[in-house]
């Protein structure tokens, strides 16, 4: 590896992960907004007008330099008719069976184990599982 | 023609090759000169520029809108810049897959020409670009589709 490449990698290691992710998110939004504008055959000026911005704000957005608030992202999403953030909470629904047979109990435990492997399932001890099953079959992250 | 610059690889990834240049009279590359400046290193935008370079090499490629055209003399010269500050890193965006990075610094003047250091960064890139074009025309340098430069590394 060349020394300058090494030096770049060393400097990059000092960049916090959240800064890297922030820059990536800015870049992704910039590119997607640019694509949508092109698809809709809009100009930067027309987007600026719809957003109530001046044109330089659109330029900064497309340069990946706007630190957008959630409110602004929501407005952009409405104007562009596309949700620019796709994050959704992960909810795990577990089918439960009446605990009247050992086979059903085993099925319930298997379902709970599978749900916990998703990663966002609230951990329950075996004792509590029984009570949980008797009440309702919903586990929320 | 005597060689004046060495082309040095700075970052590479599936989307782009990014190089910097070193004046053969100098021990360090233009990027290192930029990164070694204390006021640059402590500018809040410095890390974002580093992250952007890495992201272009690995994920996005050299997207036009990420750059600001800066040179009054030549449109090929552009700058990566930090959003909230005055930090500029001058470069030549040759292809979507190829970027040549020069020097830069904090821009405290209205135009880069008013700052002798920034003006020298842009002038060096312009000189380099003319030489590069000659070598490319002569077939002594080739650029592959992924932005890799092959052939002479001193021009």
């Amino acid at each position: 590896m060349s020394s300058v490449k090494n030096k770049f990698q060393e400097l990059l290691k000092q960049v916090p992960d959240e800064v890297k992710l922030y820059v990536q998110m800015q870049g992704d939004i910039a590119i997607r907004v640019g694509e949508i504008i092109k698809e809709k055959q809009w100009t930067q000026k027309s987007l600026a007008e719809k957003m109530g911005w001046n044109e330089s704000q659109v330029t900064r957005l497309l340069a990946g330099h706007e630190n957008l608030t959630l409110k602004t992202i929501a407005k952009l999403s409405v104007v562009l008719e596309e949700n620019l953030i796709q994050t959704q909470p992960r909810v795990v629904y577990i089918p439960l069976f009446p605990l009247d047979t050992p086979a059903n109990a085993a099925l319930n435990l298997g379902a709970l184990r599978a749900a916990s492997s998703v990663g966002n399932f609230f951990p329950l001890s075996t004792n509590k599982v029984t009570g949980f099953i008797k009440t309702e079959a919903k586990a929320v992250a | 023609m005597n060689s004046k610059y060495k082309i040095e690889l700075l970052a590479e990834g599936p989307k782009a090759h990014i190089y910097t240049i070193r004046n053969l009279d100098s021990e360090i590359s233009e990027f290192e000169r930029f990164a070694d400046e204390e006021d640059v290193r402590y500018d809040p935008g410095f890390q974002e520029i580093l992250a952007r370079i890495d992201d272009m090499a690995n994920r996005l490629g050299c997207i036009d809108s990420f750059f600001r055209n800066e040179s009054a003399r030549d449109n090929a010269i552009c700058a990566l810049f930090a959003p909230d500050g005055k930090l500029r890193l001058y470069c030549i965006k040759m292809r979507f897959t190829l970027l040549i990075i020069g020097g830069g610094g904090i821009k405290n003047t209205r135009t880069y020409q008013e700052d002798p250091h920034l003006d020298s960064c842009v002038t060096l890139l312009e000189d380099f670009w003319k030489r590069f074009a000659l070598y490319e025309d002569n077939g002594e340098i080739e650029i592959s589709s992924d932005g890799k430069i092959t052939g002479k590394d001193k021009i």
Side-chain angles (χ1 to χ4, degrees):
Chain A
M1 199 188 287
S2 73
S3 66
V4 66
K5 190 177 170 188
N6 271 331
K7 181 157 187 174
F8 177 74
Q9 289 301 324
E10 286 302 314
L11 289 168
L12 197 61
K13 275 183 199 164
Q14 295 167 29
V15 179
D17 286 345
E18 66 265 28
V19 173
K20 290 178 185 164
L21 185 59
Y22 170 65
V23 167
Q24 287 178 11
M25 290 165 126
Q26 282 181 318
D28 288 345
I29 289 177
I31 290 173
R32 187 60 198 135
V33 170
E35 287 170 349
I36 297 172
I37 290 177
K38 206 172 173 183
E39 284 162 18
K40 290 182 178 291
Q41 298 182 320
W42 290 357
T43 60
Q44 290 191 26
K45 192 178 175 186
S46 61
L47 176 61
E49 283 167 0
K50 290 174 204 294
M51 288 295 294
W53 287 355
N54 56 44
E55 224 176 315
S56 65
Q57 274 175 284
V58 176
T59 304
R60 281 204 304 276
L61 169 71
L62 297 176
H65 283 330
E66 274 291 286
N67 186 3
L68 299 166
T69 63
L70 273 179
K71 217 169 203 175
T72 306
I73 293 172
K75 186 171 180 183
L76 259 177
S77 298
V78 170
V79 166
L80 298 172
E81 299 174 306
E82 179 174 312
N83 188 352
L84 294 171
I85 294 187
Q86 300 294 333
T87 300
Q88 290 175 344
R90 180 181 287 160
V91 179
V92 181
Y93 293 95
I94 308 165
L96 293 175
F97 301 91
L99 278 175
D100 49 0
T101 64
N104 276 355
L107 281 172
N108 286 338
L109 278 173
L112 286 165
R113 284 199 189 102
S116 66
S117 70
V118 172
N120 279 335
F121 180 75
F122 187 74
L124 295 166
S125 72
T126 311
N127 293 342
K128 287 180 182 170
V129 166
T130 309
F132 183 72
I133 291 170
K134 277 180 179 169
T135 52
E136 193 47 59
K138 194 166 85 172
V140 182
Chain B
M1 188 160 54
N2 289 335
S3 299
K4 201 169 168 186
Y5 305 106
K6 186 168 190 290
I7 304 167
E8 299 185 338
L9 184 65
L10 185 71
E12 63 184 323
K15 292 292 179 165
H17 280 74
I18 298 176
Y19 295 87
T20 186
I21 55 180
R22 178 166 63 84
N23 192 321
L24 289 175
D25 294 334
S26 171
E27 292 287 313
I28 58 171
S29 67
E30 287 299 291
F31 172 78
E32 288 166 294
R33 193 187 311 284
F34 166 79
D36 286 349
E37 278 183 38
E38 208 164 278
D39 55 346
V40 167
R41 192 70 79 91
Y42 292 109
D43 188 283
F46 177 63
Q47 291 190 328
E48 290 183 26
I49 286 181
L50 295 179
R52 174 75 75 215
I53 292 170
D54 182 56
D55 199 30
M56 286 193 295
N58 286 296
R59 275 191 343 122
L60 300 180
C62 306
I63 304 285
D64 278 334
S65 64
F66 290 166
F67 300 89
R68 180 177 286 174
N69 284 334
E70 287 271 316
S71 172
R73 298 186 286 264
D74 198 320
N75 282 330
I77 312 297
C78 52
L80 283 169
F81 56 105
D84 303 324
K86 297 173 176 177
L87 190 59
R88 297 284 186 280
L89 178 58
Y90 294 99
C91 39
I92 308 171
K93 185 185 166 299
M94 293 205 176
R95 306 262 199 287
F96 177 74
T97 53
L98 172 59
L99 183 69
I100 308 283
I101 285 181
I106 309 284
K107 185 180 170 192
N108 288 314
T109 52
R110 195 178 61 82
T111 65
Y112 72 84
Q113 292 97 325
E114 294 167 62
D115 181 318
H117 169 64
L118 297 183
D119 190 49
S120 72
C121 292
V122 174
T123 303
L124 185 142
L125 275 177
E126 287 169 340
D127 184 45
F128 169 84
W129 192 48
K130 282 177 195 152
R131 283 175 167 260
F132 188 95
L134 281 176
Y135 279 76
E136 195 184 3
D137 287 347
N138 293 341
E140 292 177 90
I141 281 179
E142 287 185 3
I143 302 170
S144 62
S145 60
D146 65 351
K148 187 173 184 178
I149 297 174
T150 52
K152 285 201 166 189
D153 64 348
K154 286 180 185 165
I155 65 173

